[in-house]
Amino acid sequence: MKDFNEIKEIKARFERGEITADQIDKETQEAIAILMKQEIETNLAEIEKNEKEIDETRERIEHDREDLERLKADTEMYIKETAEYKKQIAKLKKNDNLNELMDDIKDEE
Amino acid sequence: MAKNKSLYERAKNALKANYNLNELRDVNAAVRDEKIKTDTIKKEVHDVEKGFVGLKSKQQMKKDNAKSAWQKYKDIAKVLAVTVVAAGAIYGGITYMRNKNNKIQVPENTSIVTDGNKDTVPEQNAENEVKVEEVQKGTSHRLTDAERQEAADLKNSGKVSYGGDTQKTREEVIQETNSGRKEVEGETTTKFGGDNQQVNEDKQVIEDAKKDQNKEVKDLNENVTSVTKKDNTTEQKKAPENNYEKKEETKVEVKEEKTQEVKSQEKQEKSEAKAYSNEIDTQQQKAKEDQQKQQADLDDWLMGR
């Protein structure tokens, strides 16, 4: 009876193609088959978990993308309206009545 | 169940069936590769998610800054709009008061009175008012750009449209007005007011009349003396005994009669001359006061500019 480390070593050599199944005794083949099945089950579970996590992450990313677009739109709106206000202010600053009044105030000073 | 269904089915079948070591090896290798692949994808989507979180944070900051600026300029525009409306009202009031004051002042009154033609005063006043309004309108919306520019140039040049067709500086206006004031305060024979010239002419007429009257009185006295001498000679020839008394009576009567008449006439003429002189003095005083008031209004107007 081989110990666990010897079986793992034989399994690794078999997986690398260094030896064929025929070169492994039947009892060791059964042990390697059990290890491979456990590994397959574990990896399948990991794959399902990863895929689920990937889906959730992608969903969050999609929400983030929507939020980002909304933020960009809001920012653009504020920038655009600010530019309009700047134009209004520039226009108001050129108002004749205001300038005349300011000139009068300066003259008074 | 994994998304790679073929691999999943293959793995399940391998697990259920009696073991085939070669098949288990291939399925195990495929499942391990698939697991590594999903690990990589999972890591990538997590990285993407982190990136989006960072982008969202930056964009949120941009939005906050933009909103802050928006609020700031919105408030400024709102306040400025109200200020402009108020400025329009205030400036309108100032313009109105200036126009009103300018209408009252009409500095050209000085030259108008100097002309001595009072009938032209209202018409020239109206003309001056129009010109003052034109200057004030130089900054209003109703003027064209060229007119506005002309008004601005006029204003910048330091000159004002000071009545008439000429444009004079403030100093010129003050100097001219002061010269007019000096003329008023000086002797009465200045050109101030056509009234003064008329008054002087009238005074001259009075003086001439006085001289004529004095001459007439003198001539009259001489005639009386001459007549008295003749009468005395006649009486002496006809009645020598009463000659002296008659001569004396006639002489006294004529002298007294003529003297009373002349004195009364002189008194009346002097009274009339004095009254006329008083009237002239009153007119001169009034003209002087008017001139001083105009000068004061002009100074106020010039200080107000």
Side-chain angles (χ1 to χ4, degrees), chain B residues 180-216:
Chain B
R181 176 187 288 174
K182 286 174 183 175
E183 289 172 356
V184 172
E185 293 171 348
E187 52 184 309
T188 57
T189 57
T190 60
K191 66 173 183 177
F192 171 70
D195 294 342
N196 284 344
Q197 294 177 356
Q198 185 64 40
V199 166
N200 294 329
E201 290 175 2
D202 293 343
K203 277 188 171 182
Q204 188 61 42
V205 170
I206 292 169
E207 292 295 328
D208 293 343
K210 283 181 179 178
K211 288 178 181 177
D212 292 341
Q213 285 179 348
N214 290 334
K215 189 174 181 298
E216 287 176 1

Side-chain angles (χ1 to χ4, degrees), chain B residues 135-174:
Chain B
V135 173
Q136 293 297 336
K137 286 176 183 175
T139 54
S140 71
H141 294 292
R142 285 175 291 180
L143 293 183
T144 64
D145 291 341
E147 289 169 333
R148 190 175 299 177
Q149 183 61 40
E150 184 181 355
D153 293 341
L154 177 63
K155 182 178 179 182
N156 293 333
S157 68
K159 292 186 174 182
V160 295
S161 178
Y162 186 71
D165 294 330
T166 58
Q167 292 178 351
K168 302 172 182 176
T169 63
R170 173 180 174 174
E171 288 73 19
E172 290 170 346
V173 171
I174 293 172

Side-chain angles (χ1 to χ4, degrees), chain A residues 14 37 39 43 48 50-51 53-55 57 60-61 67 71 74-75 81-82 85 96 100, chain B residues 1 3 15 22 25 28 31-32 38-39 41 45-46 49 56 59-60 63 70 74 139 148:
Chain A
F14 173 71
K37 285 183 179 180
E39 193 171 341
N43 284 336
E48 287 187 25
N50 284 344
E51 286 179 345
E53 196 167 337
I54 288 168
D55 288 343
T57 304
R60 288 199 299 274
I61 288 172
D67 290 344
L71 284 171
D74 290 346
T75 305
E81 289 192 4
T82 301
Y85 282 129
D96 286 339
E100 288 292 338
Chain B
M1 191 175 70
K3 290 183 178 178
L15 292 173
N22 290 329
R25 181 187 63 186
N28 189 25
V31 170
R32 189 190 300 123
T38 57
D39 282 343
I41 293 172
V45 294
H46 273 301
E49 186 184 24
K56 274 178 65 178
Q59 194 62 42
Q60 184 67 45
K63 180 191 169 185
W70 171 81
K74 181 184 177 185
T139 54
R148 190 175 299 177

Side-chain angles (χ1 to χ4, degrees), chain B residues 71-162:
Chain B
Q71 186 68 46
K72 176 183 168 185
Y73 281 100
K74 181 184 177 185
D75 292 343
I76 292 172
K78 190 176 178 181
V79 171
L80 197 56
V82 174
T83 305
V84 166
V85 172
I90 293 169
Y91 187 67
I94 291 172
T95 305
Y96 170 78
M97 292 304 293
R98 280 183 180 160
N99 288 338
K100 189 178 177 184
N101 290 337
N102 289 335
K103 284 176 184 175
I104 292 171
Q105 282 184 324
V106 190
E108 290 331 284
N109 273 348
T110 302
S111 62
I112 292 167
V113 175
T114 304
D115 293 337
N117 187 359
K118 292 184 178 179
D119 294 337
T120 62
V121 171
E123 183 181 347
Q124 293 192 13
N125 279 348
E127 184 183 352
N128 292 333
E129 287 171 10
V130 171
K131 284 171 182 170
V132 169
E133 284 182 358
E134 285 175 352
V135 173
Q136 293 297 336
K137 286 176 183 175
T139 54
S140 71
H141 294 292
R142 285 175 291 180
L143 293 183
T144 64
D145 291 341
E147 289 169 333
R148 190 175 299 177
Q149 183 61 40
E150 184 181 355
D153 293 341
L154 177 63
K155 182 178 179 182
N156 293 333
S157 68
K159 292 186 174 182
V160 295
S161 178
Y162 186 71

